[in-house]
Structures are given as structure tokens and as C-alpha cells.
Amino acid sequence: MKTLIRQCLVICLGAFLFTACKKEADIRPQDIQKPSNVTTESVTLFSEDVESGTKTAYAVGSVSLTSGSWTLDDALIGTLSADLKNGSKSIRIRNTGSVTTNFSTNTSGTVTVTVKHGTYGTDANSTWQLWVSADNGQTWTQQGNTITTSGSLQTATFSFSATGSLRISIRKTSGSSNRINIDDITLISGSSTGGGTGGGTIPGDDNNMLLGNPSNALADISSENNYLMAKTYYTLSYSRSRGTPNWVSWHIQASDLGSVSRSNDFRADTDLPAGWYQVQNSSYSGSGFDRGHNCPSGDRTATTEANSATFLMTNMMPQAPNNNQKTWANLENYTRGLVNAGNEVYVIDGSYGQGGTGSLGGVTNTIDNGHVTVPSNIWKVIVVLPAGNNDLGRINGATRVIAVNTPNNNGINTDWTQYKTTVRDIENATGYNLLSNLRTTLQDSLETKIDVQ
């Protein structure tokens, strides 16, 4: 069971911590593996076995686990023989303690949470509840029934519909000083039983990270140069030292494209962890580089809220004006044209390296007093599907995949097709695994050919 859980982690919110990078260094994930199989019925968003954590006191505090940072209140990591566990560790909660994720997981559709639970030693019964938040922990609601824990380790299952940035909290509600053990917490998108969908959209469709987590980014402050931020309209891996995203991933369908005007409300992202430098709307001023969107404003024109979300500075990179306003704009317009023609697309976009040439000439390595690294290259991968359901299951060897890698240079050719490449070449340059939720043989087929349409 432990082996299976760890394999699932590779596909989803993987838990490798990365060595902090200097401004001139690329983010290169270590030991990224390609999954051997993916089911279209369900996708594991995270799975926590508690084996990596250490917390020996009940006092409230955060602990870094493989899935991310959790707050344990009147709870600790138990390792004693009286602790019921699948492995060598489990969470032990007393009184009305709780265990809560400090990270958010982007969800859309039906999700299933499973939790193993049992009583500590010879303690009497206790009850607990599952609470969830879809707005990064601002408000919480209980899901399912109150669970009574008695005796040996057993599994509680909760299924519900969730859309947004999901956090979960397991809260002990009775039993006074009697203790319970919690272990093997999983969050799954889609059916956990393999049942049918009743003809509706397969859960997981349209998810901004349906194709995978390219760098195994982690929503934990210890992963400061590969920090996962699951927004409503896109998901990104942020680099604190570079002051830019490593990559941004999003989905576009016809309903995303409307008539809302460009908001132009460039602003700092206050969702960054406390103490991190926040790039400002004026940080690029006088640099010779545009505030270049990763997820474009034009891809989110259905509502004012959606459009405004793209103007956070965590979605920006220093981009040579001609690259941004001509070459990249042409590619973005072409992509939206595909959607308007009856398709939906999944996009992963990012940058790497150091040193670009903007409107001032020469090579610039950093701007904003060194807080923001100017990339040498800007890339994008686009997976095109006819509008429909069961998106992951419909991707096959004939699926159109467009990969583009451009120099961040103001003398760039305005024809983006001159910079077509393979996904594999971008992976080799960045160290990422860009289509990791596809089976390995399909990845090999799609990632090694250049788009010819």
C-alpha cells in the first residue's frame, strides 16, 4: 500500500524538495519519473502517509510532510507501539485537536477524501469531522457525517463536489483526552469506485493541471524556488529567487472567451508567503522589458474577475517588447482561434535561463535591483482537443501538440512558427516532465515530434 501511495504522488502533487537556486540557476527537478499508467476515472491529487514528518509535542505547530505543510493543533506525529498506523508513523490527536492543510489543491468536480483512523492504545471512543475550504482557508464547511472512531484502523470515505482552491481539516469533536490516530489521507479527483459518470463530464476535465505537475512543485514555503500556487484561473510554480513563475498551466474553452475589457490592474500577489519579496506593478519600469503575461489576459475575458486574475505579478515575466507584443501575441491569438473553431486547449508556459535583450539593447540579467531575473528563453506547450468530455482519455498519438521555444530578444522574428520545437527539447532545457499524467509510451510519441500543421 505504501508503495502504491508513493507512486501516486509522482503523478500528482509530488513531494520532492528542491535545492534553493541562485538567481542565475535554472530550476531542475530531481528524479522526475514518468508514470506507467493513468486512469481516466480518477486522479490522485495528493496522498499523505505521514512517514516523512516529525512532531513530538501536542502544542500547535506546522510540520512538513510529503504532500506539503500541515498544521497540527493538540496533535503530534506518533511512533509508539500504541499508535495505530500503516507504517512507522501516524498522527495522534487528543481533546478537540485538529490537523489541517496549509496548502491548497485546485479542484473542479467530484472529489473523494479517504482517511484511515483508529483509537490510540486502550483509549475510549471519540468522534471527528471532515471540514473543507474552497477559498484557501477563509471559510470552512463540514462534509459528510460525524465519524466515530473505535478500535482498530479503518477507513472513512467522503465524496462531494468541490470547485476552487481546496483545503481539508480533520477535527476531533469529542472524547476529551482520549486519543485517536489518523493515517493515509488521500484526495482524489473523480470516482473512487470506478463507477460511471452518468453521461456528464469526467471529473478532472478542464482542470488547469490535468496534464500533470511539471516540476513536482510543492505548496510549502520550504520549496521556495518551486512553490505551487493553485489559482482559480491558472496554476503556477513560483521561484522566489527569480521573482517569476517557472511555469504556468491553464485550460481554455469557449466559455473562457468573452467580451470583458482588459483590466490592466497589474499588482503584487499578496498570496505569497509572509516575508517573501513581492514584485510590484512598477518593478519593470524603465527596464526595457514588458510585464509579459504567462497566462494571457486574452485567455480570460469571460468575466472581470477572471481577467483581473491574470494581472498578478506572479503571472509575469520580463519579456522583450517585440517578443511579447508581436511574436507571442500572434501565438496567443492563434491559440484562441483554435478554441473559437470548436476546440479546447491545455497550455503550459514558462521561461528559463538568464539574460535577455529588451528595447534598451545589450543583455540584461536582472531588473528591480536584482529581485527579478530576466530569462533567456520563453516557451509554451499547447495540447489541442476537439471540445468534449473525458479529456485525458481522448489524448492519443494523433493529438496535436504545439511546442514553441523563443529567445527573449527584441530582434525576434514575428512569425512564431519559426520557433517550433519538440516538447522533449523543452524538457531537456528545463528539467521538467511536461505531460506527466500521460502514460509513458504516449508521452514518448507526442513529445518527440514537431507540429507540422
Side-chain angles (χ1 to χ4, degrees), residues 372-416:
V372 178
T373 298
V374 177
S376 62
N377 288 74
I378 298 168
W379 56 269
K380 180 175 283 189
V381 171
I382 304 162
V383 176
V384 185
L385 292 170
N389 300 328
N390 186 23
D391 293 349
L392 204 61
R394 292 188 295 129
I395 299 175
N396 56 46
T399 297
R400 186 181 183 190
V401 177
I402 306 168
V404 177
N405 189 352
T406 67
N408 192 20
N409 191 309
N410 216 35
I412 189 173
N413 193 311
T414 59
D415 180 5
W416 62 268

Short mmCIF file of all heavy atoms in Angstrom, two decimals, residues 372-416:
data_model
loop_
_atom_site.label_atom_id
_atom_site.label_comp_id
_atom_site.label_asym_id
_atom_site.label_seq_id
_atom_site.Cartn_x
_atom_site.Cartn_y
_atom_site.Cartn_z
N VAL A 372 14.34 40.44 -9.77
CA VAL A 372 13.67 39.73 -10.86
C VAL A 372 14.71 39.32 -11.91
O VAL A 372 15.45 40.16 -12.43
CB VAL A 372 12.58 40.61 -11.52
CG1 VAL A 372 11.93 39.86 -12.68
CG2 VAL A 372 11.53 41.02 -10.49
N THR A 373 14.77 38.05 -12.22
CA THR A 373 15.68 37.53 -13.23
C THR A 373 15.05 37.65 -14.62
O THR A 373 13.88 37.32 -14.81
CB THR A 373 16.00 36.06 -12.95
OG1 THR A 373 16.67 35.95 -11.69
CG2 THR A 373 16.89 35.47 -14.04
N VAL A 374 15.84 38.14 -15.56
CA VAL A 374 15.39 38.22 -16.95
C VAL A 374 15.73 36.90 -17.63
O VAL A 374 16.91 36.52 -17.70
CB VAL A 374 16.06 39.39 -17.70
CG1 VAL A 374 15.64 39.40 -19.16
CG2 VAL A 374 15.73 40.71 -17.02
N PRO A 375 14.74 36.16 -18.13
CA PRO A 375 15.04 34.86 -18.73
C PRO A 375 15.66 35.00 -20.11
O PRO A 375 15.46 36.00 -20.81
CB PRO A 375 13.66 34.21 -18.83
CG PRO A 375 12.71 35.36 -18.97
CD PRO A 375 13.30 36.47 -18.14
N SER A 376 16.38 33.98 -20.51
CA SER A 376 16.96 33.95 -21.86
C SER A 376 15.99 33.35 -22.87
O SER A 376 16.07 33.63 -24.05
CB SER A 376 18.25 33.13 -21.85
OG SER A 376 18.00 31.78 -21.48
N ASN A 377 15.07 32.50 -22.39
CA ASN A 377 14.14 31.80 -23.28
C ASN A 377 12.74 31.76 -22.69
O ASN A 377 12.57 31.68 -21.47
CB ASN A 377 14.61 30.37 -23.53
CG ASN A 377 15.81 30.29 -24.43
OD1 ASN A 377 16.93 30.59 -24.00
ND2 ASN A 377 15.60 29.90 -25.67
N ILE A 378 11.76 31.79 -23.58
CA ILE A 378 10.35 31.71 -23.21
C ILE A 378 9.71 30.62 -24.06
O ILE A 378 9.89 30.59 -25.28
CB ILE A 378 9.66 33.07 -23.43
CG1 ILE A 378 10.31 34.13 -22.54
CG2 ILE A 378 8.17 32.96 -23.13
CD1 ILE A 378 9.90 35.54 -22.86
N TRP A 379 8.98 29.72 -23.42
CA TRP A 379 8.46 28.54 -24.11
C TRP A 379 6.98 28.32 -23.82
O TRP A 379 6.44 28.84 -22.84
CB TRP A 379 9.26 27.29 -23.74
CG TRP A 379 9.29 27.01 -22.24
CD1 TRP A 379 10.22 27.46 -21.35
CD2 TRP A 379 8.34 26.25 -21.49
NE1 TRP A 379 9.91 27.02 -20.08
CE2 TRP A 379 8.76 26.28 -20.14
CE3 TRP A 379 7.17 25.56 -21.82
CZ2 TRP A 379 8.05 25.63 -19.12
CZ3 TRP A 379 6.46 24.92 -20.81
CH2 TRP A 379 6.92 24.96 -19.48
N LYS A 380 6.36 27.52 -24.66
CA LYS A 380 4.95 27.17 -24.47
C LYS A 380 4.67 25.83 -25.11
O LYS A 380 5.20 25.50 -26.17
CB LYS A 380 4.06 28.25 -25.08
CG LYS A 380 2.56 27.99 -24.93
CD LYS A 380 1.73 29.16 -25.45
CE LYS A 380 1.74 30.29 -24.45
NZ LYS A 380 0.78 31.38 -24.82
N VAL A 381 3.79 25.04 -24.44
CA VAL A 381 3.30 23.77 -24.98
C VAL A 381 1.78 23.83 -24.98
O VAL A 381 1.16 24.18 -23.97
CB VAL A 381 3.80 22.58 -24.14
CG1 VAL A 381 3.11 21.29 -24.58
CG2 VAL A 381 5.30 22.44 -24.25
N ILE A 382 1.16 23.50 -26.11
CA ILE A 382 -0.29 23.58 -26.29
C ILE A 382 -0.79 22.22 -26.75
O ILE A 382 -0.33 21.70 -27.78
CB ILE A 382 -0.67 24.65 -27.32
CG1 ILE A 382 -0.08 26.01 -26.92
CG2 ILE A 382 -2.18 24.73 -27.50
CD1 ILE A 382 -0.04 27.00 -28.07
N VAL A 383 -1.72 21.63 -26.01
CA VAL A 383 -2.35 20.37 -26.39
C VAL A 383 -3.77 20.68 -26.86
O VAL A 383 -4.55 21.28 -26.12
CB VAL A 383 -2.37 19.38 -25.22
CG1 VAL A 383 -3.11 18.10 -25.60
CG2 VAL A 383 -0.94 19.05 -24.78
N VAL A 384 -4.08 20.30 -28.10
CA VAL A 384 -5.34 20.69 -28.74
C VAL A 384 -6.27 19.49 -28.83
O VAL A 384 -5.89 18.42 -29.32
CB VAL A 384 -5.08 21.24 -30.16
CG1 VAL A 384 -6.37 21.76 -30.78
CG2 VAL A 384 -4.01 22.32 -30.13
N LEU A 385 -7.52 19.68 -28.35
CA LEU A 385 -8.53 18.63 -28.41
C LEU A 385 -9.84 19.20 -28.94
O LEU A 385 -10.18 20.35 -28.63
CB LEU A 385 -8.80 18.06 -27.01
CG LEU A 385 -7.70 17.25 -26.34
CD1 LEU A 385 -8.07 17.00 -24.88
CD2 LEU A 385 -7.47 15.94 -27.06
N PRO A 386 -10.61 18.44 -29.73
CA PRO A 386 -11.97 18.88 -30.05
C PRO A 386 -12.75 19.04 -28.74
O PRO A 386 -12.56 18.25 -27.81
CB PRO A 386 -12.53 17.74 -30.90
CG PRO A 386 -11.32 17.00 -31.39
CD PRO A 386 -10.29 17.13 -30.33
N ALA A 387 -13.59 20.06 -28.63
CA ALA A 387 -14.36 20.27 -27.40
C ALA A 387 -15.14 19.01 -27.07
O ALA A 387 -15.76 18.39 -27.94
CB ALA A 387 -15.30 21.45 -27.58
N GLY A 388 -15.09 18.59 -25.81
CA GLY A 388 -15.77 17.37 -25.41
C GLY A 388 -15.46 17.00 -23.98
O GLY A 388 -14.97 17.82 -23.20
N ASN A 389 -15.73 15.75 -23.63
CA ASN A 389 -15.53 15.23 -22.29
C ASN A 389 -14.41 14.20 -22.27
O ASN A 389 -13.87 13.82 -23.32
CB ASN A 389 -16.82 14.60 -21.76
CG ASN A 389 -17.96 15.60 -21.70
OD1 ASN A 389 -17.74 16.79 -21.47
ND2 ASN A 389 -19.18 15.12 -21.91
N ASN A 390 -14.07 13.74 -21.06
CA ASN A 390 -13.04 12.71 -20.89
C ASN A 390 -11.74 13.13 -21.58
O ASN A 390 -11.16 12.39 -22.38
CB ASN A 390 -13.53 11.37 -21.43
CG ASN A 390 -12.56 10.23 -21.14
OD1 ASN A 390 -11.76 10.31 -20.22
ND2 ASN A 390 -12.64 9.17 -21.94
N ASP A 391 -11.27 14.34 -21.25
CA ASP A 391 -10.14 14.93 -21.97
C ASP A 391 -8.89 14.08 -21.91
O ASP A 391 -8.23 13.84 -22.93
CB ASP A 391 -9.85 16.33 -21.42
CG ASP A 391 -10.97 17.30 -21.71
OD1 ASP A 391 -11.87 16.95 -22.51
OD2 ASP A 391 -10.97 18.40 -21.13
N LEU A 392 -8.53 13.63 -20.70
CA LEU A 392 -7.29 12.86 -20.57
C LEU A 392 -7.36 11.57 -21.38
O LEU A 392 -6.38 11.16 -22.01
CB LEU A 392 -7.03 12.55 -19.09
CG LEU A 392 -5.58 12.28 -18.69
CD1 LEU A 392 -4.70 13.49 -18.98
CD2 LEU A 392 -5.50 11.92 -17.21
N GLY A 393 -8.53 10.95 -21.39
CA GLY A 393 -8.70 9.70 -22.11
C GLY A 393 -8.72 9.87 -23.62
O GLY A 393 -8.51 8.92 -24.36
N ARG A 394 -9.00 11.11 -24.10
CA ARG A 394 -9.07 11.35 -25.54
C ARG A 394 -7.73 11.70 -26.15
O ARG A 394 -7.60 11.78 -27.38
CB ARG A 394 -10.08 12.48 -25.83
CG ARG A 394 -11.51 12.08 -25.54
CD ARG A 394 -12.49 13.14 -26.02
NE ARG A 394 -12.36 14.42 -25.33
CZ ARG A 394 -12.24 15.59 -25.94
NH1 ARG A 394 -12.18 15.66 -27.26
NH2 ARG A 394 -12.15 16.72 -25.23
N ILE A 395 -6.73 11.96 -25.33
CA ILE A 395 -5.41 12.26 -25.87
C ILE A 395 -4.78 10.98 -26.38
O ILE A 395 -4.70 9.98 -25.66
CB ILE A 395 -4.52 12.92 -24.80
CG1 ILE A 395 -5.14 14.24 -24.33
CG2 ILE A 395 -3.11 13.17 -25.35
CD1 ILE A 395 -4.40 14.90 -23.18
N ASN A 396 -4.35 10.98 -27.64
CA ASN A 396 -3.75 9.79 -28.24
C ASN A 396 -2.58 10.20 -29.13
O ASN A 396 -2.20 11.38 -29.16
CB ASN A 396 -4.79 8.98 -29.02
CG ASN A 396 -5.49 9.82 -30.08
OD1 ASN A 396 -4.84 10.55 -30.84
ND2 ASN A 396 -6.80 9.71 -30.15
N GLY A 397 -2.05 9.27 -29.85
CA GLY A 397 -0.88 9.53 -30.67
C GLY A 397 -1.11 10.52 -31.78
O GLY A 397 -0.16 11.09 -32.33
N ALA A 398 -2.36 10.76 -32.14
CA ALA A 398 -2.69 11.70 -33.22
C ALA A 398 -3.04 13.09 -32.69
O ALA A 398 -3.31 13.99 -33.48
CB ALA A 398 -3.84 11.15 -34.04
N THR A 399 -3.07 13.26 -31.38
CA THR A 399 -3.41 14.55 -30.79
C THR A 399 -2.38 15.62 -31.18
O THR A 399 -1.18 15.37 -31.15
CB THR A 399 -3.49 14.45 -29.26
OG1 THR A 399 -4.55 13.54 -28.91
CG2 THR A 399 -3.76 15.80 -28.62
N ARG A 400 -2.87 16.78 -31.55
CA ARG A 400 -1.97 17.86 -31.94
C ARG A 400 -1.33 18.49 -30.71
O ARG A 400 -2.03 18.92 -29.77
CB ARG A 400 -2.71 18.92 -32.74
CG ARG A 400 -1.76 19.98 -33.30
CD ARG A 400 -2.47 21.06 -34.09
NE ARG A 400 -1.51 21.99 -34.65
CZ ARG A 400 -1.82 23.15 -35.24
NH1 ARG A 400 -3.10 23.52 -35.32
NH2 ARG A 400 -0.87 23.93 -35.71
N VAL A 401 -0.02 18.56 -30.71
CA VAL A 401 0.74 19.20 -29.64
C VAL A 401 1.68 20.22 -30.27
O VAL A 401 2.51 19.87 -31.12
CB VAL A 401 1.55 18.16 -28.82
CG1 VAL A 401 2.38 18.87 -27.75
CG2 VAL A 401 0.62 17.15 -28.16
N ILE A 402 1.55 21.47 -29.88
CA ILE A 402 2.38 22.55 -30.40
C ILE A 402 3.38 22.95 -29.33
O ILE A 402 2.99 23.30 -28.21
CB ILE A 402 1.52 23.77 -30.79
CG1 ILE A 402 0.41 23.37 -31.76
CG2 ILE A 402 2.39 24.87 -31.38
CD1 ILE A 402 -0.64 24.46 -31.96
N ALA A 403 4.65 22.90 -29.64
CA ALA A 403 5.71 23.32 -28.71
C ALA A 403 6.52 24.43 -29.36
O ALA A 403 6.94 24.30 -30.51
CB ALA A 403 6.61 22.14 -28.35
N VAL A 404 6.70 25.52 -28.62
CA VAL A 404 7.42 26.69 -29.14
C VAL A 404 8.43 27.15 -28.10
O VAL A 404 8.12 27.20 -26.90
CB VAL A 404 6.43 27.84 -29.45
CG1 VAL A 404 7.17 29.08 -29.93
CG2 VAL A 404 5.41 27.40 -30.49
N ASN A 405 9.63 27.48 -28.56
CA ASN A 405 10.68 27.98 -27.66
C ASN A 405 11.35 29.16 -28.34
O ASN A 405 12.00 29.01 -29.38
CB ASN A 405 11.70 26.87 -27.36
CG ASN A 405 12.69 27.26 -26.27
OD1 ASN A 405 12.72 28.40 -25.82
ND2 ASN A 405 13.50 26.30 -25.85
N THR A 406 11.19 30.36 -27.77
CA THR A 406 11.73 31.56 -28.40
C THR A 406 12.83 32.19 -27.54
O THR A 406 12.76 32.13 -26.31
CB THR A 406 10.63 32.62 -28.59
OG1 THR A 406 10.19 33.10 -27.30
CG2 THR A 406 9.46 32.06 -29.34
N PRO A 407 13.82 32.83 -28.18
CA PRO A 407 14.78 33.63 -27.41
C PRO A 407 14.09 34.89 -26.91
O PRO A 407 13.20 35.44 -27.58
CB PRO A 407 15.87 33.95 -28.43
CG PRO A 407 15.15 33.93 -29.76
CD PRO A 407 14.09 32.86 -29.63
N ASN A 408 14.46 35.36 -25.73
CA ASN A 408 13.89 36.59 -25.17
C ASN A 408 14.69 37.77 -25.71
O ASN A 408 15.48 38.39 -25.01
CB ASN A 408 13.93 36.53 -23.65
CG ASN A 408 13.10 37.63 -23.01
OD1 ASN A 408 12.23 38.22 -23.63
ND2 ASN A 408 13.41 37.91 -21.75
N ASN A 409 14.43 38.07 -26.99
CA ASN A 409 15.26 39.03 -27.72
C ASN A 409 14.35 39.96 -28.52
O ASN A 409 13.41 39.52 -29.17
CB ASN A 409 16.21 38.27 -28.66
CG ASN A 409 17.26 39.15 -29.26
OD1 ASN A 409 16.96 40.20 -29.83
ND2 ASN A 409 18.51 38.72 -29.19
N ASN A 410 14.63 41.25 -28.47
CA ASN A 410 13.76 42.21 -29.15
C ASN A 410 13.88 42.14 -30.67
O ASN A 410 13.03 42.68 -31.38
CB ASN A 410 14.07 43.64 -28.68
CG ASN A 410 12.81 44.49 -28.59
OD1 ASN A 410 11.75 43.98 -28.23
ND2 ASN A 410 12.93 45.77 -28.91
N GLY A 411 14.91 41.48 -31.18
CA GLY A 411 15.07 41.32 -32.61
C GLY A 411 14.44 40.05 -33.14
O GLY A 411 14.75 39.61 -34.25
N ILE A 412 13.53 39.47 -32.38
CA ILE A 412 12.93 38.19 -32.71
C ILE A 412 12.05 38.29 -33.96
O ILE A 412 11.46 39.34 -34.25
CB ILE A 412 12.10 37.69 -31.50
CG1 ILE A 412 11.62 36.26 -31.68
CG2 ILE A 412 10.92 38.63 -31.27
CD1 ILE A 412 10.95 35.69 -30.44
N ASN A 413 11.94 37.18 -34.71
CA ASN A 413 11.03 37.10 -35.84
C ASN A 413 9.59 37.12 -35.32
O ASN A 413 9.28 36.47 -34.32
CB ASN A 413 11.29 35.80 -36.61
CG ASN A 413 10.63 35.75 -37.96
OD1 ASN A 413 9.44 36.05 -38.09
ND2 ASN A 413 11.39 35.38 -38.99
N THR A 414 8.72 37.85 -35.97
CA THR A 414 7.33 37.93 -35.51
C THR A 414 6.53 36.68 -35.82
O THR A 414 5.43 36.50 -35.30
CB THR A 414 6.63 39.14 -36.15
OG1 THR A 414 6.65 39.01 -37.57
CG2 THR A 414 7.31 40.44 -35.75
N ASP A 415 7.07 35.78 -36.64
CA ASP A 415 6.39 34.54 -37.01
C ASP A 415 6.75 33.45 -35.99
O ASP A 415 7.85 32.89 -36.04
CB ASP A 415 6.81 34.12 -38.42
CG ASP A 415 6.14 32.84 -38.88
OD1 ASP A 415 5.27 32.31 -38.14
OD2 ASP A 415 6.49 32.35 -39.97
N TRP A 416 5.83 33.15 -35.10
CA TRP A 416 6.11 32.19 -34.04
C TRP A 416 6.39 30.79 -34.58
O TRP A 416 7.06 29.98 -33.90
CB TRP A 416 4.95 32.12 -33.05
CG TRP A 416 3.63 31.67 -33.62
CD1 TRP A 416 2.65 32.45 -34.13
CD2 TRP A 416 3.18 30.32 -33.76
NE1 TRP A 416 1.60 31.68 -34.58
CE2 TRP A 416 1.89 30.37 -34.35
CE3 TRP A 416 3.72 29.07 -33.43
CZ2 TRP A 416 1.15 29.23 -34.64
CZ3 TRP A 416 2.98 27.93 -33.70
CH2 TRP A 416 1.71 28.00 -34.30
#
